[in-house]
Amino acid sequence: MNADQLLARNLLSALTNGGVEPYFQPIVSLDDGHVLGFEVLARWHDPVQGFISPEQFIPVADRFGLLDRLLDQLMRTAFLVAAEWPHHLFLGFNVSPTQLRNSELATRIAKAASDESFPLSRVHIEVTESGFIEDLTQPRRTLDRLISLGCVIAMDDFGTGYSSLTWLSTLPFSKIKVDASFVMAMCEHRQSRKIVAAVVALGHSLGLAVVAEGVETAQQADLLRGMGCKLAQGYLFGRPMPAHHVPDYLSAVVPPADDTELLVPMSLELRAHRLAEACESDAAAIAFMDPAGTVVASSTAFDKTMDVEKGAAAGRHIWELIGVTPDTIAELRANDLLDQEFPELEKSTANGSMARILIRPVKDESSELLGYSVEFNGSQNPNSAGVVS
């Protein structure tokens, strides 16, 4: 038995006995320092060998077919502990090229989230472009499926490969992460600084959220703010930490709310019911869709505008009804991360008139994303049927 085989056997034992656990590294808003979410990282402390680096055991897990089990355990444990944290916080998970080519990946992620009652709208999947080089077909299907479930897709290590621009133009990313090697070299090397500034500008011009990785100094953070970068991750804001350290970390960086301003939380079910009631209108062409783009409720005027029977819009994907695509959902999620409004869409209808469409996020009192409102505004006559093309 060689060293890799022995490591694989020990890793399997660690996974069986809970020896590998998730650590959480914060991703913050550079504008105000608020924590937006965490990247979830695998950490293995062997009772005999001590800490074993992910750079050592992740390739072995990939080679010996243990990555799926590792991801599943990380997700389920992270979902369980994060259920008690503020509901606006997302969790980012790294998915390997091998896993991305597995047609069952999205189903397994959905099951893990469902079993732990964790909303997939809070799940961000991070991939590298090496997952697409050999074959684009199955990875694209996997990403589309994940988006339809409500997940956000991020390109990790941006700038280190050969064809990043190609993938940005063909795949439904909401977020790109600037590789730490460029960020850490910004202060000493002008070319690295120019590369980071160019990536930030490119990402924002494409409607993508941009996260700068590897931020370790205040000088680096100041440079990034000057470039217009909104999101960052690195030791300056927090090292990867075990789950039991997260509540104290959050209480230290987020000011406690004034007790007089606290609201009684409304359940997701009750909020969805209230939104459905709001859609019961003959005057406004409005609908509510979940984070994955499925219409949950729609007004009579909306159904008339869509030229469908009353109530028939519910249960259908929004892109079956109006001229948006699954990629639009990715853009919505990116705008939400950047705390920016989604621009009005102007679409032509079947009868030749123009309609302006407003799509806005709907959140509960704890800032958890419930879905989006879709409203026709302006010249479209709700009483004239016509599907937007």
Side-chain angles (χ1 to χ4, degrees):
M1 180 181 296
N2 62 32
D4 281 355
Q5 289 173 325
L6 178 60
L7 187 64
R9 187 181 72 176
N10 291 341
L11 176 58
L12 178 59
S13 176
L15 289 171
T16 302
N17 298 313
V20 179
E21 61 177 317
Y23 270 49
F24 302 85
Q25 185 170 31
I27 298 173
V28 307
S29 164
L30 278 171
D31 288 339
D32 56 20
H34 276 73
V35 181
L36 303 176
F38 295 90
E39 181 176 357
V40 182
L41 303 164
R43 293 294 183 262
W44 177 16
H45 190 276
D46 185 81
V48 176
Q49 300 183 58
F51 175 78
I52 299 177
S53 168
E55 285 75 18
Q56 184 179 359
F57 71 80
I58 294 295
V60 169
D62 193 5
R63 178 183 169 191
F64 287 89
L66 297 176
L67 274 184
D68 287 345
R69 183 162 182 173
L70 174 61
L71 178 64
D72 188 72
Q73 182 166 315
L74 284 179
M75 283 190 160
R76 289 176 181 275
T77 306
F79 292 158
L80 187 63
V81 297
E84 303 300 320
W85 302 345
H87 290 174
H88 70 277
L89 298 173
F90 66 79
L91 299 179
F93 297 89
N94 293 285
V95 169
S96 76
T98 303
Q99 292 172 301
L100 201 59
R101 292 190 286 270
N102 185 341
S103 61
E104 297 300 314
L105 175 67
T107 301
R108 287 182 23 254
I109 291 175
K111 186 176 189 312
S114 175
D115 288 349
E116 304 301 336
S117 300
F118 193 84
L120 283 165
S121 60
R122 293 174 62 189
V123 176
H124 291 202
I125 301 298
E126 301 185 8
V127 300
T128 61
E129 69 173 278
S130 57
F132 317 117
I133 291 175
E134 294 181 6
D135 172 35
L136 181 61
T137 304
Q138 183 54 52
R140 173 74 205 218
R141 290 192 187 120
T142 299
L143 295 183
D144 284 342
R145 173 65 177 146
L146 288 168
I147 286 177
S148 73
L149 291 169
C151 299
V152 167
I153 308 300
M155 177 181 276
D156 200 8
D157 300 335
F158 186 83
T160 59
Y162 296 102
S163 306
S164 295
L165 291 178
T166 300
W167 308 129
L168 286 185
S169 65
T170 57
L171 294 169
F173 293 105
S174 295
K175 180 171 67 174
I176 55 177
K177 301 186 77 175
V178 187
D179 188 71
S181 61
F182 297 111
V183 175
M184 296 172 71
M186 283 192 310
C187 298
E188 292 77 27
H189 300 288
R190 186 163 58 98
Q191 288 301 100
S192 292
R193 191 158 60 248
K194 286 183 175 181
I195 288 172
V196 174
V199 171
V200 171
L202 172 66
H204 291 171
S205 71
L206 295 174
L208 303 173
V210 179
V211 181
E213 297 185 283
V215 182
E216 296 188 347
T217 68
Q219 186 180 6
Q220 292 168 350
D222 288 340
L223 281 173
L224 290 164
R225 290 188 192 95
M227 297 171 185
C229 186
K230 301 292 186 183
L231 313 175
Q233 175 181 357
Y235 289 175
L236 178 64
F237 309 107
R239 293 175 177 266
M241 65 192 81
H244 64 274
H245 287 179
V246 171
D248 287 341
Y249 172 82
L250 290 174
S251 64
V253 297
V254 179
D258 188 334
D259 289 343
T260 61
E261 296 178 356
L262 293 178
L263 299 175
V264 177
M266 184 184 294
S267 71
L268 296 183
E269 294 78 6
L270 179 56
R271 178 57 65 96
H273 177 70
R274 294 280 179 85
L275 289 166
E277 287 182 336
C279 285
E280 288 298 321
S281 169
D282 290 324
I286 186 171
F288 171 70
M289 63 180 179
D290 66 18
T294 299
V295 176
V296 176
S298 60
S299 69
T300 301
F302 183 91
D303 293 339
K304 287 180 179 179
T305 304
M306 295 297 95
D307 197 21
V308 299
E309 296 292 329
K310 182 177 180 180
R316 299 175 65 176
H317 280 116
I318 193 66
W319 48 83
E320 298 175 41
L321 301 168
I322 63 177
V324 300
T325 67
D327 290 354
T328 305
I329 304 299
E331 295 174 23
L332 286 168
R333 300 303 299 276
N335 279 59
D336 190 39
L337 283 172
L338 293 169
D339 196 26
Q340 297 175 348
E341 285 195 351
F342 193 73
E344 282 190 13
L345 303 175
E346 192 169 74
K347 299 293 181 180
S348 61
T349 64
N351 63 14
S353 63
M354 297 298 294
R356 293 197 304 275
I357 303 171
L358 297 173
I359 304 179
R360 297 289 182 263
V362 177
K363 300 182 180 182
D364 67 6
E365 289 84 355
S366 61
S367 297
E368 181 169 359
L369 179 68
L370 298 177
Y372 301 92
S373 64
V374 184
E375 182 177 3
F376 284 94
N377 185 36
S379 58
Q380 172 66 27
N381 181 357
N383 295 316
S384 64
V387 178
V388 176
S389 59

